[in-house]
Coordinates of all heavy atoms in Angstrom, one line a residue:
R1 N 199.6 255.3 -43.1 CA 199.1 254.0 -42.7 C 197.9 253.6 -43.5 O 197.0 254.4 -43.7 CB 198.9 253.9 -41.2 CG 200.1 254.1 -40.4 CD 201.1 252.9 -40.5 NE 202.2 253.1 -39.6 CZ 203.3 253.7 -40.0 NH1 203.4 254.2 -41.2 NH2 204.4 253.8 -39.1
L2 N 197.8 252.3 -43.8 CA 196.6 251.8 -44.4 C 195.9 250.9 -43.4 O 196.5 250.4 -42.5 CB 197.0 250.9 -45.6 CG 197.6 251.7 -46.8 CD1 198.1 250.7 -47.9 CD2 196.5 252.6 -47.4
P3 N 194.6 250.7 -43.6 CA 193.8 249.8 -42.7 C 194.5 248.4 -42.7 O 195.1 248.0 -43.7 CB 192.4 249.8 -43.3 CG 192.4 251.0 -44.2 CD 193.8 251.2 -44.7
P4 N 194.3 247.6 -41.6 CA 194.8 246.3 -41.5 C 194.4 245.4 -42.7 O 193.2 245.5 -43.2 CB 194.3 245.7 -40.2 CG 193.9 247.0 -39.4 CD 193.5 248.0 -40.4
V5 N 195.3 244.6 -43.2 CA 195.0 243.7 -44.3 C 194.2 242.5 -43.8 O 194.3 242.2 -42.7 CB 196.2 243.3 -45.1 CG1 197.0 244.4 -45.6 CG2 197.1 242.5 -44.1
A6 N 193.4 241.9 -44.7 CA 192.7 240.7 -44.4 C 193.6 239.5 -44.8 O 194.2 239.5 -45.8 CB 191.4 240.7 -45.1
F7 N 193.6 238.5 -43.9 CA 194.3 237.3 -44.2 C 193.4 236.2 -44.7 O 192.3 236.1 -44.4 CB 195.0 236.8 -42.9 CG 196.0 237.7 -42.2 CD1 195.7 238.5 -41.2 CD2 197.3 237.8 -42.8 CE1 196.6 239.3 -40.6 CE2 198.2 238.6 -42.2 CZ 197.9 239.4 -41.1
T8 N 194.0 235.4 -45.6 CA 193.3 234.3 -46.1 C 193.3 233.2 -45.1 O 194.1 233.2 -44.1 CB 194.0 233.7 -47.4 OG1 195.3 233.2 -47.1 CG2 194.1 234.8 -48.4
K9 N 192.5 232.1 -45.3 CA 192.4 231.0 -44.4 C 193.8 230.3 -44.3 O 194.2 229.9 -43.3 CB 191.3 230.0 -44.8 CG 189.9 230.6 -44.5 CD 188.9 229.5 -44.8 CE 188.8 229.1 -46.2 NZ 187.7 228.1 -46.5
E10 N 194.4 230.2 -45.5 CA 195.7 229.5 -45.5 C 196.8 230.3 -44.8 O 197.6 229.7 -44.1 CB 196.1 229.3 -47.0 CG 195.3 228.3 -47.8 CD 194.0 228.9 -48.2 OE1 193.8 230.1 -48.1 OE2 193.1 228.1 -48.7
E11 N 196.7 231.6 -44.9 CA 197.7 232.5 -44.2 C 197.5 232.4 -42.7 O 198.4 232.3 -41.9 CB 197.6 233.9 -44.6 CG 198.1 234.1 -46.1 CD 197.8 235.5 -46.6 OE1 196.8 236.1 -46.1 OE2 198.5 236.0 -47.5
A12 N 196.2 232.4 -42.2 CA 195.9 232.3 -40.8 C 196.4 230.9 -40.3 O 196.9 230.9 -39.2 CB 194.4 232.4 -40.6
T13 N 196.2 229.9 -41.0 CA 196.7 228.5 -40.6 C 198.2 228.5 -40.5 O 198.7 227.9 -39.6 CB 196.2 227.5 -41.6 OG1 194.8 227.5 -41.7 CG2 196.6 226.1 -41.2
A14 N 198.8 229.2 -41.4 CA 200.3 229.2 -41.4 C 200.8 229.9 -40.1 O 201.8 229.5 -39.5 CB 200.8 230.0 -42.6
F15 N 200.1 231.0 -39.7 CA 200.5 231.6 -38.4 C 200.4 230.6 -37.2 O 201.3 230.6 -36.4 CB 199.5 232.8 -38.1 CG 199.9 234.1 -38.9 CD1 198.9 234.7 -39.7 CD2 201.1 234.6 -38.8 CE1 199.2 235.8 -40.4 CE2 201.5 235.8 -39.6 CZ 200.5 236.4 -40.3
L16 N 199.3 229.9 -37.2 CA 199.1 228.9 -36.1 C 200.2 227.8 -36.2 O 200.7 227.4 -35.1 CB 197.7 228.3 -36.2 CG 197.3 227.3 -35.1 CD1 197.4 227.9 -33.8 CD2 196.0 226.7 -35.4
T17 N 200.5 227.3 -37.4 CA 201.5 226.3 -37.5 C 202.9 226.8 -37.0 O 203.6 226.2 -36.3 CB 201.6 225.9 -39.0 OG1 200.4 225.4 -39.4 CG2 202.6 224.7 -39.1
A18 N 203.2 228.1 -37.4 CA 204.5 228.7 -36.9 C 204.5 228.8 -35.4 O 205.6 228.6 -34.8 CB 204.6 230.1 -37.6
E19 N 203.4 229.1 -34.8 CA 203.3 229.2 -33.4 C 203.7 227.9 -32.7 O 204.4 227.9 -31.7 CB 201.9 229.7 -32.9 CG 201.8 229.9 -31.4 CD 200.4 230.4 -31.1 OE1 199.4 230.1 -31.8 OE2 200.3 231.2 -30.1
K20 N 203.2 226.8 -33.3 CA 203.5 225.5 -32.7 C 205.0 225.2 -32.7 O 205.6 224.7 -31.8 CB 202.8 224.4 -33.5 CG 201.2 224.5 -33.5 CD 200.7 224.3 -32.1 CE 199.1 224.4 -32.1 NZ 198.5 224.2 -30.8
F21 N 205.7 225.6 -33.8 CA 207.1 225.4 -33.9 C 207.9 226.3 -33.0 O 208.8 225.8 -32.3 CB 207.6 225.6 -35.4 CG 207.3 224.5 -36.3 CD1 206.3 224.6 -37.3 CD2 208.1 223.3 -36.2 CE1 206.1 223.5 -38.1 CE2 207.8 222.3 -37.1 CZ 206.8 222.4 -38.0
I22 N 207.4 227.5 -32.9 CA 208.1 228.5 -32.0 C 208.1 228.0 -30.5 O 209.0 228.1 -29.8 CB 207.5 229.9 -32.2 CG1 208.0 230.4 -33.5 CG2 208.0 230.8 -31.0 CD1 207.3 231.7 -33.9
E23 N 206.9 227.4 -30.1 CA 206.8 227.0 -28.8 C 207.8 225.9 -28.4 O 208.2 225.8 -27.3 CB 205.4 226.4 -28.6 CG 204.3 227.5 -28.5 CD 202.9 226.9 -28.4 OE1 202.8 225.6 -28.5 OE2 201.9 227.6 -28.3
K24 N 208.2 225.1 -29.4 CA 209.1 223.9 -29.1 C 210.5 224.2 -29.5 O 211.4 223.6 -28.9 CB 208.6 222.7 -30.0 CG 207.3 222.2 -29.6 CD 207.2 221.7 -28.2 CE 205.8 221.1 -27.9 NZ 205.7 220.6 -26.5
L25 N 210.8 225.2 -30.4 CA 212.1 225.3 -30.9 C 212.9 226.6 -30.5 O 214.0 226.8 -30.8 CB 212.1 225.3 -32.4 CG 211.5 224.0 -33.1 CD1 211.6 224.1 -34.6 CD2 212.2 222.8 -32.6
T26 N 212.2 227.4 -29.7 CA 212.9 228.7 -29.2 C 212.8 228.8 -27.7 O 212.4 227.9 -27.0 CB 212.2 229.9 -29.9 OG1 210.8 230.0 -29.5 CG2 212.3 229.8 -31.4
D27 N 213.3 230.0 -27.2 CA 213.4 230.2 -25.8 C 212.1 230.9 -25.3 O 211.2 231.3 -26.1 CB 214.6 231.0 -25.4 CG 214.6 232.4 -26.1 OD1 213.7 232.7 -26.8 OD2 215.6 233.1 -25.9
A28 N 212.0 231.0 -24.0 CA 210.8 231.6 -23.3 C 210.4 233.0 -23.8 O 209.3 233.3 -24.0 CB 211.0 231.5 -21.8
S29 N 211.5 233.8 -23.9 CA 211.2 235.2 -24.3 C 210.6 235.3 -25.7 O 209.6 236.0 -26.0 CB 212.5 236.1 -24.3 OG 212.9 236.2 -22.9
T30 N 211.2 234.5 -26.6 CA 210.7 234.5 -28.0 C 209.2 233.9 -28.1 O 208.4 234.5 -28.8 CB 211.6 233.6 -28.9 OG1 212.9 234.1 -28.8 CG2 211.1 233.7 -30.4
V31 N 209.0 232.9 -27.3 CA 207.6 232.3 -27.2 C 206.6 233.4 -26.7 O 205.5 233.6 -27.3 CB 207.6 231.1 -26.3 CG1 206.1 230.6 -26.1 CG2 208.4 230.0 -26.9

């Protein structure tokens, strides 16, 4: 195992954007 990687600001923002879509487009367990 390697130490956790560091994310760029753009990658971090992409995670947040994906979270918004998942909240609206999937079911409760996936959310």
Side-chain angles (χ1 to χ4, degrees):
R1 293 292 182 271
L2 290 172
V5 298
F7 295 103
T8 65
K9 289 188 293 184
E10 291 77 13
E11 290 169 337
T13 303
F15 281 126
L16 181 61
T17 304
E19 183 176 30
K20 300 294 183 179
F21 280 107
I22 288 173
E23 288 175 354
K24 297 296 182 182
L25 303 181
T26 59
D27 61 0
S29 293
T30 304
V31 172

